[in-house]
Structures are given as structure tokens and as C-alpha cells.
């Protein structure tokens, strides 16, 4: 395993993304037993960075992470989030709330579900434009002083929102969507993060499964991917993406790698990248995914990949 600096933490370049194992209403899982085995296996493979959130399975993901990693708590870096609340355990009830009141409620619930006294990285899940960044950041600083959280990060923040937050608190990370199919952060946000010593914690490096190459243009998703929250999983945009992924598959064959390994490998080679959060449903998927580390395609194939997935404009 390869490790990189994230603030003063040393994180594995592949992190365990625990959204999928939370299950409904977002994903289907292979059952808690396989989810727990995948967490333990990932730790055995050298992964020390585990990312979850209260909203993943409405608490279930945090509970599984806490349970599986309890015996090795002091050897792992636990990252979770705040600021995304729910009402009736349905997608339609989700709302952003990064107010002081909400965060103070959320932190104790997360600590309880994770079965720990501290969270290593506490991230604001989505920007809440109704609450001032000052209020959110000052609340997080309070939690830091109390020892409930070690470091502060943000997720899905624009460059302007990062700049504003930095006036109030030190941030060690940004967690954005980042993959061959989602490169919006490259122009403005990545340079800003690098300049301010913030590491990129890339989410959905496989574009939630699309870059594994296992889907085709006629795939109809039955989970959250049919609902247009993030990413492109329907319509013309999806067909275009699948056509690019088909070409990536051919390049991967030349490198004797899978399409998914080639896609993750690309993310790992990008500036500012600290870790790529890969979502897995079973141990076998993680065993396959970590083979994205420690090699790089030929120069010719690197150029082909960049050209194929170059952002428009
Ligand atoms: N901050 C945010 O707003 C945010 C948003 C999204 C994600 N995230 C974080 O990023 C993590 C990863 O995101 P993600 O789950 O969207 O992304 P991903 O890593 O892009 O895709 C994961 C999915 O791909 C499939 N997969 C993975 N490895 C595979 C393999 N070797 N062979 C075949 N299929 C494989 C699995 O789906 P199936 O087995 O079901 O096919 C898995 O659920 C999340 O768990 C979460 O921690 C954060």
C-alpha cells in the first residue's frame, strides 16, 4: 500500500468508501456479513482511511464501520460528515443543515454509532447556503477543542465557499466528485486546495461503477442512480460516457489491467490527490481495486486517456 500526507495524517492512497454498504434507500448491498468482511479485508490490505456519513443507510454505514474496526480503532483514520439531515428515512426528506444546533446534535450521534470517542476527519457533507460559513466553522472549532474531532474538512464546496471557510478555520481536505468522467474541479478548485495545503479526497473515482466497464448503454439502474442526484446515469450523457468507457476498456487490455483499475490509477496520478475513496460491496472488489496502485500506463496510453476524457471547453 502507498500512503500520502493529508494534513498531518498519513492516509492510504485508496480509501474505503462506505456509502454503498449503508444500503437502502441508496444502494442494494450483499448483506452486512459481506460488508463487514470487506471492511476487515481492506484493513488487512493496508487501507487505513475509512469514509462514511450519517446519511449513508441512515446511520447503518457508520454502525458497520464502527463495529468492524473497533479492535483496530487506534490504527485507522475514521472520516465522517455532518450537515445532511433526514426526516422520514427517504431520499425526498434529505435537507442540508450545517447550523450550530444541527452539528452539535449530529456529532454525538456519529460518535455513538461509530463506537469511538473521536473522529479523525469531520467533513461538512454539502454546503448549506442558509447558514453562514462562520457559524459552521466556529462550531467545528469548538468540537476540535473538546477533542471530539481531530481535523476539519469540507465536501462538495466550490472554490468560493472554500475561500470563505478558510477565513475561520484550517481545513485539511476537500472531498469532491473526481474521476475521468467528472473533472470540473481541475481548473480552479484543485490549485486553490494545493495552495492552501488541502488534500483532495476524491469520491466516486469509478463514477459509481460506470468506469468498471460492467454496464452498457441500455443499462437501467434500479437504485439512486436512476434519480439524478449526482453523476450521469441516464439519457444521452450516459450513452456518451459508455462509449468512452468502451474505449478505455481497450486501453486497459493493452496494459493488462481492468478498466476500473485504469480509471482509479488515473485519479491517483492527479495533482493534489491524497486518496481516492473507492466504494466496494465485497472483499473481492477491494482486492481487485488496489491493483490500481504502483504502475502507470505507457506515455502513449496516458495521452490517449487524457484526450478521450478531456473536459469540454
Ligand atoms: N461526499 C459526497 O457527497 C460523496 C458522494 C458520493 C460518494 N462519496 C464517497 O465516495 C465513496 C465511493 O463512491 P461511490 O460508491 O459512488 O463510488 P465508486 O467507487 O465510483 O463506485 C463504487 C461502485 O462500483 C462497483 N465496484 C467497485 N469495485 C468494483 C469492482 N472491482 N468490480 C466491479 N464493480 C465494482 C460497486 O457497485 P456494485 O457492486 O453495486 O456494482 C461499488 O458500489 C462513497 O462510498 C463515499 O464514501 C461521497
Amino acid at each position: 500500500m502507498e500512503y500520502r500526507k493529508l494534513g498531518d495524517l498519513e492516509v492510504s492512497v485508496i480509501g474505503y468508501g462506505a456509502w454503498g454498504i449503508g444500503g437502502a434507500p441508496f444502494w442494494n448491498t450483499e448483506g452486512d456479513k459481506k460488508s463487514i468482511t470487506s471492511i476487515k479485508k481492506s484493513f488487512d490490505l493496508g487501507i487505513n482511511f475509512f469514509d462514511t456519513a450519517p446519511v449513508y443507510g441512515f446511520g447503518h454505514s457508520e454502525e458497520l464501520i464502527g463495529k468492524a474496526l473497533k479492535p483496530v480503532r487506534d490504527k485507522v483514520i475514521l472520516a465522517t460528515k455532518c450537515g445532511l439531515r433526514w426526516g422520514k428515512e427517504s431520499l425526498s426528506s434529505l435537507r442540508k443543515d450545517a447550523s450550530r444546533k444541527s452539528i452539535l446534535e449530529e456529532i454525538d450521534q456519529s460518535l455513538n454509532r461509530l463506537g469511538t470517542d473521536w473522529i479523525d476527519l469531520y467533513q461538512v457533507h454539502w454546503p448549506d447556503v442558509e447558514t453562514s460559513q462562520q457559524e459552521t466553522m466556529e462550531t467545528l472549532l469548538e468540537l476540535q477543542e473538546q477533542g471530539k474531532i481531530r481535523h476539519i474538512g469540507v465536501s462538495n464546496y466550490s472554490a468560493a465557499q472554500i475561500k470563505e471557510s478558510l477565513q475561520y478555520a484550517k481545513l485539511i481536505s476537500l472531498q469532491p466528485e473526481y474521476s475521468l468522467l467528472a473533472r470540473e474541479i481541475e481548473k480552479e478548485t484543485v490549485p486553490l486546495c494545493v495552495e492552501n495545503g488541502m488534500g483532495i479526497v476524491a469520491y466516486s473515482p469509478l463514477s459509481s461503477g460506470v468506469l468498471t466497464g460492467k454496464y452498457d448503454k441500455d443499462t437501467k439502474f434500479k437504485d439512486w442512480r436512476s434519480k439524478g442526484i449526482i453523476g450521469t446515469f441516464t439519457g444521452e450523457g450516459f450513452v456518451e460516457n459508455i462509449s468512452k468507457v468502451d474505449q478505455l476498456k481497450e486501453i486497459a487490455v493493452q496494459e493488462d489491467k481492468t478498466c476500473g483499475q485504469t480509471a482509479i490509477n488515473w485519479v491517483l496520478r492527479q495533482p493534489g490527490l491524497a486518496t481516492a475513496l473507492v466504494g466496494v460491496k465485497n472483499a473481492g472488489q477491494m482486492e481487485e481495486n488496489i491493483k490500481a496502485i504502483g504502475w502507470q500506463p505507457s506515455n502513449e496510453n496516458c495521452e490517449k486517456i487524457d484526450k478521450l476524457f478531456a473536459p469540454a471547453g
Side-chain angles (χ1 to χ4, degrees), residues 19 23-27 54-59 84-96 223-224 227 229:
W19 181 21
F26 300 97
W27 293 91
V55 76
Y56 297 167
F58 301 125
L84 194 55
R85 308 300 303 269
W86 62 90
K88 280 198 264 155
E89 299 207 348
S90 68
L91 287 181
S92 58
S93 75
L94 296 186
R95 64 191 157 80
K96 292 161 189 159
D223 48 32
W224 69 274
K227 300 194 168 47
I229 311 171

Side-chain angles (χ1 to χ4, degrees), residues 15-21 27-28 30 50-53 56 81 84 123-126 155-156 175-177 179 202-212 214-215 223-225 230 233 258 260 264 277-282 284-289:
Y16 184 103
W19 181 21
I21 59 163
W27 293 91
N28 300 314
E30 296 182 12
F50 294 81
D51 178 77
T52 180
Y56 297 167
K81 312 188 185 82
L84 194 55
Q123 308 154 102
V124 183
H125 204 149
W126 283 88
S155 179
N156 297 301
Q175 186 179 139
E177 182 178 6
S179 73
Y203 79 66
S204 303
L206 291 169
S207 191
S208 298
V210 173
L211 284 159
T212 60
K214 65 182 175 183
Y215 302 121
D223 48 32
W224 69 274
R225 287 172 288 186
I230 46 171
F233 302 100
T258 67
I264 299 168
L277 295 175
V278 180
V280 295
K281 300 282 177 50
N282 56 57
Q285 288 183 346
M286 191 54 102
E287 283 174 307
E288 186 179 317
N289 294 338

Side-chain angles (χ1 to χ4, degrees), residues 12 26 29 42 48 81 84 89 102 119 124 156 167 181 190-191 219 231 261 264 266 271 273 275-276 290-291 308 312:
S12 47
F26 300 97
T29 74
S42 298
N48 71 352
K81 312 188 185 82
L84 194 55
E89 299 207 348
S102 179
I119 285 159
V124 183
N156 297 301
Q167 292 174 21
L181 291 171
V190 173
T219 301
Q261 286 159 354
I264 299 168
W266 177 87
L273 198 284
T275 182
I290 61 163
K291 293 186 190 141
L308 178 59

Side-chain angles (χ1 to χ4, degrees), residues 199-258:
I200 303 292
V201 173
Y203 79 66
S204 303
L206 291 169
S207 191
S208 298
V210 173
L211 284 159
T212 60
K214 65 182 175 183
Y215 302 121
D216 63 38
K217 65 178 178 41
D218 299 317
T219 301
K220 299 272 177 277
F221 294 99
K222 294 200 175 77
D223 48 32
W224 69 274
R225 287 172 288 186
S226 61
K227 300 194 168 47
I229 311 171
I230 46 171
T232 307
F233 302 100
T234 53
E236 271 174 38
F238 180 65
V239 174
E240 264 172 47
N241 286 348
I242 290 291
S243 139
K244 290 181 187 170
V245 173
D246 285 342
Q247 294 173 67
L248 182 65
K249 272 187 206 170
E250 287 169 22
I251 298 173
V253 168
Q254 290 168 24
E255 297 292 338
D256 204 15
K257 300 287 174 192
T258 67

Side-chain angles (χ1 to χ4, degrees), residues 14 66 80 117 122 148 158 163 171 179 181 186 199 204 209 241:
I14 287 189
T80 192
D117 296 332
Y122 202 45
K148 290 184 174 179
S158 67
K163 278 185 200 158
L171 306 176
S179 73
L181 291 171
E186 287 176 0
S204 303
N241 286 348

